[in-house]
């Protein structure tokens, strides 16, 4: 169940002078508070959805929304805002910021993984794991057990899986038993560049 809704917080307080209160007809000052409204998901601010201005007469303590006051009071309020602009707090974008950071992290992690795999394909070591597309169109892994000048020997995972995203479920020690394989160093570089047979190399 997703919890969502709207809330508001005070983002600015101020004062306008020399105005006539609609209720007590006194020439006085009015304190104002600007509330920033925002949508939230699980009580985390998602994005701002507007502002509300509440003014209070210093004499009779009557309160009003700015939109319900006379034009002369509105103009004084707007003039005061020109001199001291209201800024939407960055915290009202918290959920969007979290999403943005998550996307950025995933993007740069992917770039680093690609960079690491390229380096590993050119200089394989014992213990490296090759993530592969099998001849049946499924996914599996193999683990490097020996590296020579020209060849790379692997222990083949006995299991295959249909979803690439679930390959970690079968990449466990008990699935590497007796099946063995061999690549030339050139094959590993070529296969990784093509991205078909070997699409990722992981080094612990």
């Amino acid at each position: 169940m997703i919890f969502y809704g709207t809330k508001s917080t005070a983002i600015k307080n101020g004062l306008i002078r020399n105005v006539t209160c609609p209720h007590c007809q006194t020439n006085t000052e009015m304190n104002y508070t600007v509330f920033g409204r925002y949508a939230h998901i699980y009580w985390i601010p998602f994005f701002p959805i507007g502002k509300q201005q509440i003014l209070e007469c210093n004499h009779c303590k009557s309160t009003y929304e700015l939109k319900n006051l006379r034009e002369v009071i509105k103009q004084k309020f707007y003039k005061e805002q020109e001199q001291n602009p209201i800024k939407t707090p960055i915290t009202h974008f918290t959920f969007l910021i979290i999403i943005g950071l998550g996307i950025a992290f995933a993007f740069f992690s992917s770039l680093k993984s690609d960079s690491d795999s390229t380096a590993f394909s050119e200089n394989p070591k014992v213990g490296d794991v090759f993530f592969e597309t099998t001849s049946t169109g499924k996914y599996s892994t193999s683990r490097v057990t020996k590296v020579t000048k020209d060849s790379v020997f692997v222990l083949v995972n006995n299991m295959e899986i249909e979803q690439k995203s679930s390959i970690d479920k079968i990449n466990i020690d008990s699935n590497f038993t007796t099946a063995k394989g061999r690549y030339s160093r050139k094959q590993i570089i070529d296969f990784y560049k093509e991205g078909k047979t070997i699409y990722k190399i992981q080094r612990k």
Side-chain angles (χ1 to χ4, degrees), residues 137-139 160-166 170:
K138 296 181 181 180
Y139 303 98
E160 295 181 345
I161 199 164
E162 293 185 356
Q163 293 183 327
K164 182 186 289 189
S165 59
S166 301
I170 64 169

Side-chain angles (χ1 to χ4, degrees), residues 3-4 37 68 110 123 135 137 157 166 173 190 192 197 204:
F3 294 95
Y4 62 92
R37 298 180 64 241
N68 296 326
S110 177
N123 183 30
S135 59
N157 193 322
S166 301
D173 291 343
D190 290 343
Y192 178 70
T197 304
K204 294 183 179 179

Side-chain angles (χ1 to χ4, degrees), residues 20-204:
T20 301
C21 173
H23 179 71
C24 66
Q25 298 300 313
T26 303
N27 187 274
T28 184
E29 298 173 339
M30 283 188 169
N31 293 311
Y32 69 81
T33 301
V34 179
F35 293 89
R37 298 180 64 241
Y38 58 86
H40 68 80
I41 297 178
Y42 292 109
W43 300 280
I44 300 174
F46 192 20
F47 58 83
I49 55 175
K51 298 181 179 72
Q52 182 182 33
Q53 304 87 3
I54 303 296
L55 292 86
E56 180 185 68
C57 172
N58 276 358
H59 183 261
C60 69
K61 303 304 180 184
S62 296
T63 58
Y64 309 90
E65 280 194 67
L66 179 66
K67 65 182 181 180
N68 296 326
L69 288 169
R70 298 168 184 166
E71 192 64 28
V72 64
I73 299 177
K74 292 180 182 178
Q75 291 305 317
K76 283 182 176 290
F77 177 85
Y78 295 140
K79 187 174 181 179
E80 203 277 338
Q81 299 316 300
E82 289 177 3
Q83 298 172 353
N84 302 286
I86 302 171
K87 297 181 180 179
T88 300
I90 193 169
T91 53
H92 287 194
F93 298 91
T94 299
F95 205 96
L96 290 177
I97 291 172
I98 292 172
I99 293 173
L101 289 174
I103 292 172
F105 177 78
F107 175 74
F108 286 109
S109 294
S110 177
L111 287 180
K112 181 157 191 322
S113 177
D114 290 344
S115 176
D116 288 346
S117 291
T118 299
F120 299 158
S121 71
E122 296 169 353
N123 183 30
K125 292 185 177 181
V126 172
D128 286 355
V129 176
F130 298 157
F131 290 74
E132 304 166 333
T133 304
T134 68
S135 59
T136 61
K138 296 181 181 180
Y139 303 98
S140 190
T141 58
S142 60
R143 184 177 295 168
V144 178
T145 57
K146 181 180 178 181
V147 179
T148 66
K149 182 178 178 181
D150 300 313
S151 302
V152 176
F153 298 87
V154 297
L155 199 58
V156 179
N157 193 322
N158 294 323
M159 301 289 292
E160 295 181 345
I161 199 164
E162 293 185 356
Q163 293 183 327
K164 182 186 289 189
S165 59
S166 301
I167 197 168
D168 285 338
K169 293 180 179 179
I170 64 169
N171 189 37
I172 55 178
D173 291 343
S174 59
N175 288 338
F176 296 90
T177 52
T178 58
K180 297 180 180 180
R182 172 188 170 279
Y183 293 108
S184 70
R185 283 178 172 263
K186 185 177 184 307
Q187 279 180 317
I188 293 173
I189 293 172
D190 290 343
F191 287 160
Y192 178 70
K193 283 182 178 179
E194 293 170 1
K196 295 178 181 179
T197 304
I198 298 176
Y199 62 87
K200 184 173 77 170
I201 302 175
Q202 186 178 80
R203 179 170 295 173
K204 294 183 179 179

